[in-house]
Amino acid sequence: MINRVILVGRLTRDPELRKTQSGASVVSYTIAVNRRVQTPGQPDADFINCVAWNKTADLMAQYLHKGSLIGVEGR
């Protein structure tokens, strides 16, 4: 089965870098993805929780901030 997602949205807050006990970097973040079709009475965006590890987490913490437009590909 194929289980793949590609999202484009904006960060809802600044990424906060954390380290695991083994020293791996991790960032948890939420992106707001606008809906294509906006129905009256429904939210305009979906909020997706994501996690990045290691070098990706380090780069996100260094270069991204609240409101940054990002693309996420995952499974």
Side-chain angles (χ1 to χ4, degrees):
M1 294 194 76
I2 298 173
N3 183 10
R4 184 175 179 194
V5 63
I6 300 172
L7 302 168
V8 176
R10 296 195 180 271
L11 289 177
T12 59
R13 61 183 173 162
D14 290 341
E16 295 180 23
L17 183 64
R18 294 179 283 126
K19 298 279 187 178
T20 64
Q21 289 181 348
S22 62
S25 300
V26 62
V27 170
S28 297
Y29 58 98
T30 302
I31 61 171
V33 179
N34 289 331
R35 292 185 176 184
R36 280 189 173 188
V37 179
Q38 296 178 354
T39 308
Q42 295 293 322
D44 294 338
D46 293 305
F47 295 88
I48 313 297
N49 296 320
C50 304
V51 177
W53 292 89
N54 300 321
K55 189 65 175 176
T56 304
D58 293 331
L59 292 172
M60 286 186 71
Q62 185 176 359
Y63 294 109
L64 299 178
H65 53 84
K66 179 180 178 179
S68 294
L69 184 65
I70 64 168
V72 177
E73 181 176 349
R75 56 182 174 91

